[in-house]
Short mmCIF file of all heavy atoms in Angstrom, two decimals:
data_model
loop_
_atom_site.label_atom_id
_atom_site.label_comp_id
_atom_site.label_asym_id
_atom_site.label_seq_id
_atom_site.Cartn_x
_atom_site.Cartn_y
_atom_site.Cartn_z
N THR A 70 127.20 121.76 58.54
CA THR A 70 128.11 121.50 59.55
C THR A 70 128.21 120.08 60.00
O THR A 70 129.42 119.55 60.23
CB THR A 70 127.54 122.32 60.73
OG1 THR A 70 127.50 123.72 60.31
CG2 THR A 70 128.57 122.30 62.03
N LEU A 71 127.06 119.33 60.25
CA LEU A 71 127.04 117.97 60.59
C LEU A 71 127.93 117.18 59.52
O LEU A 71 128.74 116.24 60.01
CB LEU A 71 125.64 117.49 60.82
CG LEU A 71 125.04 117.96 62.03
CD1 LEU A 71 123.63 117.16 62.28
CD2 LEU A 71 125.76 118.09 63.28
N ALA A 72 127.61 117.41 58.20
CA ALA A 72 128.36 116.59 57.23
C ALA A 72 129.95 116.84 57.39
O ALA A 72 130.71 115.89 57.18
CB ALA A 72 127.90 116.89 55.97
N GLU A 73 130.22 118.06 57.66
CA GLU A 73 131.66 118.29 57.84
C GLU A 73 132.34 117.65 59.15
O GLU A 73 133.31 117.15 59.03
CB GLU A 73 131.98 119.76 57.90
CG GLU A 73 132.14 120.36 56.55
CD GLU A 73 132.33 121.88 56.45
OE1 GLU A 73 132.73 122.43 57.40
OE2 GLU A 73 132.03 122.48 55.31
N ARG A 74 131.50 117.67 60.12
CA ARG A 74 131.97 117.08 61.46
C ARG A 74 132.20 115.58 61.23
O ARG A 74 133.16 115.02 61.57
CB ARG A 74 130.95 117.29 62.49
CG ARG A 74 131.21 118.47 63.39
CD ARG A 74 130.30 118.27 64.71
NE ARG A 74 129.62 119.48 64.78
CZ ARG A 74 128.54 119.61 65.52
NH1 ARG A 74 127.81 118.43 65.96
NH2 ARG A 74 127.87 120.74 65.76
N ALA A 75 131.18 114.94 60.53
CA ALA A 75 131.29 113.53 60.36
C ALA A 75 132.41 113.08 59.40
O ALA A 75 133.16 112.17 59.67
CB ALA A 75 129.91 112.88 59.78
N THR A 76 132.63 113.92 58.36
CA THR A 76 133.75 113.63 57.45
C THR A 76 135.08 113.89 58.17
O THR A 76 136.01 113.07 57.99
CB THR A 76 133.60 114.65 56.21
OG1 THR A 76 132.34 114.54 55.62
CG2 THR A 76 134.71 114.46 55.24
N THR A 77 135.24 114.84 59.01
CA THR A 77 136.45 115.15 59.72
C THR A 77 136.74 114.07 60.56
O THR A 77 137.88 113.49 60.64
CB THR A 77 136.32 116.46 60.48
OG1 THR A 77 135.99 117.46 59.55
CG2 THR A 77 137.63 116.81 61.17
N ALA A 78 135.76 113.55 61.46
CA ALA A 78 136.00 112.45 62.29
C ALA A 78 136.29 111.07 61.58
O ALA A 78 137.35 110.40 61.93
CB ALA A 78 134.66 112.17 63.15
N TYR A 79 135.66 110.86 60.44
CA TYR A 79 135.98 109.63 59.62
C TYR A 79 137.51 109.69 59.15
O TYR A 79 138.20 108.71 59.28
CB TYR A 79 134.85 109.57 58.63
CG TYR A 79 135.06 108.37 57.58
CD1 TYR A 79 134.36 107.16 57.92
CD2 TYR A 79 135.68 108.35 56.43
CE1 TYR A 79 134.32 106.03 57.05
CE2 TYR A 79 135.79 107.29 55.58
CZ TYR A 79 135.06 106.22 55.94
OH TYR A 79 135.20 105.03 55.07
N GLU A 80 137.84 110.84 58.49
CA GLU A 80 139.12 111.05 58.03
C GLU A 80 140.17 111.10 59.12
O GLU A 80 141.31 110.62 58.81
CB GLU A 80 139.08 112.21 57.08
CG GLU A 80 138.37 112.00 55.76
CD GLU A 80 138.77 110.78 54.95
OE1 GLU A 80 139.96 110.43 55.06
OE2 GLU A 80 137.78 110.22 54.32
N GLU A 81 139.84 111.45 60.30
CA GLU A 81 140.76 111.64 61.29
C GLU A 81 141.13 110.07 61.82
O GLU A 81 142.30 109.81 61.97
CB GLU A 81 140.04 112.29 62.60
CG GLU A 81 140.95 112.32 63.85
CD GLU A 81 142.10 113.21 63.70
OE1 GLU A 81 142.01 114.13 62.68
OE2 GLU A 81 143.07 113.21 64.48
N THR A 82 140.20 109.25 61.75
CA THR A 82 140.47 107.73 62.03
C THR A 82 141.51 107.17 60.86
O THR A 82 142.40 106.40 61.25
CB THR A 82 139.23 106.81 62.02
OG1 THR A 82 138.35 107.45 63.02
CG2 THR A 82 139.57 105.49 62.47
N ARG A 83 141.33 107.68 59.72
CA ARG A 83 142.20 107.14 58.67
C ARG A 83 143.69 107.56 58.95
O ARG A 83 144.60 106.86 58.87
CB ARG A 83 141.79 107.68 57.32
CG ARG A 83 142.33 106.93 56.16
CD ARG A 83 142.06 107.54 54.77
NE ARG A 83 140.65 107.87 54.48
CZ ARG A 83 139.79 107.03 53.88
NH1 ARG A 83 140.18 105.74 53.78
NH2 ARG A 83 138.59 107.41 53.63
N LYS A 84 143.73 108.86 59.40
CA LYS A 84 145.20 109.32 59.76
C LYS A 84 145.68 108.58 60.77
O LYS A 84 146.90 108.19 60.84
CB LYS A 84 145.05 110.80 60.10
CG LYS A 84 144.91 111.74 58.95
CD LYS A 84 145.11 113.22 59.31
CE LYS A 84 144.29 114.14 58.49
NZ LYS A 84 143.36 114.88 59.18
N ILE A 85 144.96 108.33 62.00
CA ILE A 85 145.44 107.60 63.09
C ILE A 85 145.79 106.15 62.87
O ILE A 85 146.82 105.56 63.25
CB ILE A 85 144.42 107.81 64.23
CG1 ILE A 85 144.61 109.20 64.82
CG2 ILE A 85 144.52 106.65 65.28
CD1 ILE A 85 143.68 109.52 65.88
#
Side-chain angles (χ1 to χ4, degrees):
T70 302
L71 291 190
E73 268 174 31
R74 263 195 232 154
T76 304
T77 304
Y79 183 88
E80 291 303 329
E81 183 64 22
T82 303
R83 199 188 304 278
K84 285 191 209 119
I85 281 176

